[in-house]
Amino acid sequence: MSELFSKKNKEAFTLPLSKDNPVTVQVLGICSALAVTAQLEPAIVMGLAVTIIVAFSNVIISLMRNTIPTRIRIIVQLVVVAALVTIVNQVLKAFAYNVAQALSVYVGLIITNCILMGRLEAFAMTNKPWPSFLDGLGNGLGYAKILVIVAFFRELLGSGTIFGVNILNYECVKNAGYMNNGMMLMPAMALIVVACIVWWQRAHNKDLQEK
């Protein structure tokens, strides 16, 4: 049991949540952060979908790592990821059709997400299944964490709602001088919010500051 939760395994899970976040530190998966964060619900679903796919694709590739010929490893990785993405996409269409429609083609584009291929190449190909699972879970949740933060501020300040529930669209709020900022719903504002998160993270973490 102690080996399962060794220091190395704990770091594989916890580092992507903070000091080695795939979005704010490794600068991966930025495109989907711009595309699906206008509302919280699709952002959460996308984050969970990526987390599930990264975790299980890491495990599968780790199990197969000693039998995959080096020259075709990328093709094998893409086939595994594509199969998992297809399954997740069909599950979303069956049980959360409206969200699947809101995410549109972006679920399918998870196949090309840099986080996935990066973890498969950098970790799963050289580590056992359990550490690979923790690494995939940590990176997926680290990615989801940023998506949720960005979507929270974009939906709140852009639409005045959270999960579609009215928060700021009241007469008393408008009388106080507040108006929804439509620019927050534009993709460029997602990049600015991500930049603010990067700035805050680096300002509060000396290990990430350039010397």
Side-chain angles (χ1 to χ4, degrees), residues 8 47 50-51 62 72 76 81 93 124 148 155-156 169 183 207:
K8 182 180 178 181
V50 170
T51 300
S62 178
I72 63 167
V76 174
V81 172
K93 287 181 177 179
V148 169
E155 182 176 356
L156 179 65
N169 296 320
M183 288 186 64
D207 294 338

Side-chain angles (χ1 to χ4, degrees), residues 8 11 19 23 34 43 57-58 69 71 90 92 126-127 140 156 165 168 180 185 191 196:
K8 182 180 178 181
E11 287 180 349
K19 293 182 180 180
V23 178
L34 306 183
S57 62
N58 262 17
R71 287 186 294 180
Q90 294 304 311
L92 283 176
T126 55
N127 287 274
L156 179 65
V165 177
L168 297 177
N180 291 333
L185 301 177
L191 193 60
C196 291

Side-chain angles (χ1 to χ4, degrees), residues 18-144:
S18 54
K19 293 182 180 180
D20 196 27
N21 188 277
V23 178
T24 59
V25 178
Q26 301 177 45
V27 196
L28 302 174
I30 292 289
C31 297
S32 54
L34 306 183
V36 301
T37 54
Q39 292 183 321
L40 258 175
E41 187 177 18
I44 291 173
V45 173
M46 175 62 88
L48 290 176
V50 170
T51 300
I52 292 169
I53 293 168
V54 178
F56 284 99
S57 62
N58 262 17
V59 171
I60 295 170
I61 293 299
S62 178
L63 289 169
M64 299 170 59
R65 70 188 186 282
N66 294 324
T67 60
I68 302 174
T70 303
R71 287 186 294 180
I72 63 167
R73 70 186 190 283
I74 301 298
I75 298 174
V76 174
Q77 291 168 11
L78 284 172
V79 170
V80 170
V81 172
L84 290 172
V85 168
T86 301
I87 292 170
V88 168
N89 194 26
Q90 294 304 311
V91 170
L92 283 176
K93 287 181 177 179
F95 297 101
Y97 185 76
N98 290 336
V99 177
Q101 288 295 100
L103 290 173
S104 184
V105 298
Y106 296 106
V107 175
L109 289 175
I110 292 175
I111 296 170
T112 62
N113 194 309
C114 303
I115 297 171
L116 278 157
M117 300 309 297
R119 298 327 300 163
L120 293 176
E121 274 290 290
F123 202 93
M125 286 294 293
T126 55
N127 287 274
K128 294 181 179 180
W130 176 245
S132 296
F133 175 76
L134 292 177
D135 176 80
L137 192 64
N139 276 275
L141 291 175
Y143 167 83

